[in-house]
Amino acid sequence: MTTDSQELLNSDTPAFVHVSVLSRELIAGLEVRASGHYLDVTVGGGGHSRLILEAAPDVQVTALDQDEQAIAAAQANLAEFGDRVQFYHRNFATYDPGKVQFAGIIADLGVSSAQFDIPDRGFSFRHEASLDMRMDQRQDLTAAELINFGDEVELANIFYNYGEERLSRRIARNIVERRPFQTTTELAEAIARCVPRSYRYGRIHPATRVFQALRIAVNQELKVLETFLDTAPGWLAPGGRIGVISFHSLEDRLVKHRLRDSPLLKVLTKKPILPQPDELENNPRSRSAKLRLAERQPD
């Protein structure tokens, strides 16, 4: 474990605890092979990687994550596997495996349970926190900068395109009139006040889609996902499999089409695999998860 990772674990920061979703289905779909080398591009707390390492003898995992807290947690969780796991603190869109070809690749997209639950990360309006939303704390752009300096049209487009928010223009206009905003709760309250009463007390909080959109924009999630889906098939050995778990329609649509359109892949899931009732009961956050699988064709 690196010194920086040890300091993160010993700090006063709340523990990075993430419940992996669709684990049974993902491991079954990968058909993990003995002595296989696997790539986990979003290691999180290490839950999926642990299951891969335990699924067959002498398995190796290369684990990536752009979130430094996630890497620290995964290193602690997977320490018993020693040098069977190699960790890299980076975004999967910038990864280059060189000549290595993997028996399987997995990606668990979106925000982890821990990122939502650690207040100072700014992903959730359930806690008062700075408007941050960076998955990689090394980057400069934050949600606060986007909200407080983006023009009205730019913000409306972000809310509509990334959050599918039908009141995007109204909300953007209100934000520009009332800014600056410093905290998650300030922003959420301002959004709630500017929408119709029927919308305010609907099934989900009126700020939900805006927060999703801001997070996607800050982290360029769809752009980096496109890059990954275009390059990852070439990292697979013939017969190797890729499994991607998405959490909203924009991601799932992109995954569906890029896997289908890759000349290197055969899609194994015509429809996405969804969580079973027991998982939904034990982990309600899994309700929006969708798994798609594909296999590298022989050369």
Side-chain angles (χ1 to χ4, degrees), residues 125 167 170-171 174-175 185-201 205-208 210-211:
F125 49 80
L167 298 181
R170 179 174 184 164
I171 293 171
N174 182 263
I175 285 172
T185 49
E186 283 179 345
L187 179 60
E189 288 166 6
I191 294 168
R193 284 197 297 267
C194 81
V195 299
R197 183 177 179 83
S198 59
Y199 202 75
R200 190 181 313 164
Y201 298 107
H205 191 285
T208 300
V210 170
F211 269 63

Side-chain angles (χ1 to χ4, degrees), residues 46-98:
H48 286 137
S49 281
R50 168 174 286 277
L51 293 174
I52 292 172
L53 290 158
E54 293 174 342
D58 302 319
V59 170
Q60 296 183 61
V61 169
T62 294
L64 318 179
D65 208 293
Q66 63 181 327
D67 189 320
E68 191 173 16
Q69 289 178 318
I71 286 287
Q75 286 175 320
N77 185 25
L78 303 175
E80 67 195 82
F81 298 101
D83 60 7
R84 290 173 58 195
V85 192
Q86 297 295 318
F87 296 92
Y88 297 93
H89 178 206
R90 66 183 59 180
N91 186 295
F92 53 61
T94 66
Y95 178 64
D96 181 2

Side-chain angles (χ1 to χ4, degrees), residues 124-131 144 147-148 174-175 178-194 205 207 211:
S124 172
F125 49 80
R126 291 187 293 110
H127 314 283
E128 182 173 9
S130 297
L131 281 163
I147 280 293
N148 291 321
N174 182 263
I175 285 172
R178 301 177 67 90
R179 64 189 183 188
F181 295 95
Q182 303 301 327
T183 68
T184 53
T185 49
E186 283 179 345
L187 179 60
E189 288 166 6
I191 294 168
R193 284 197 297 267
C194 81
H205 191 285
F211 269 63

Side-chain angles (χ1 to χ4, degrees), residues 128-139:
E128 182 173 9
S130 297
L131 281 163
D132 191 325
M133 299 194 191
R134 292 173 298 171
M135 292 183 181
D136 187 340
Q137 296 289 300
R138 296 170 297 186
Q139 79 173 42

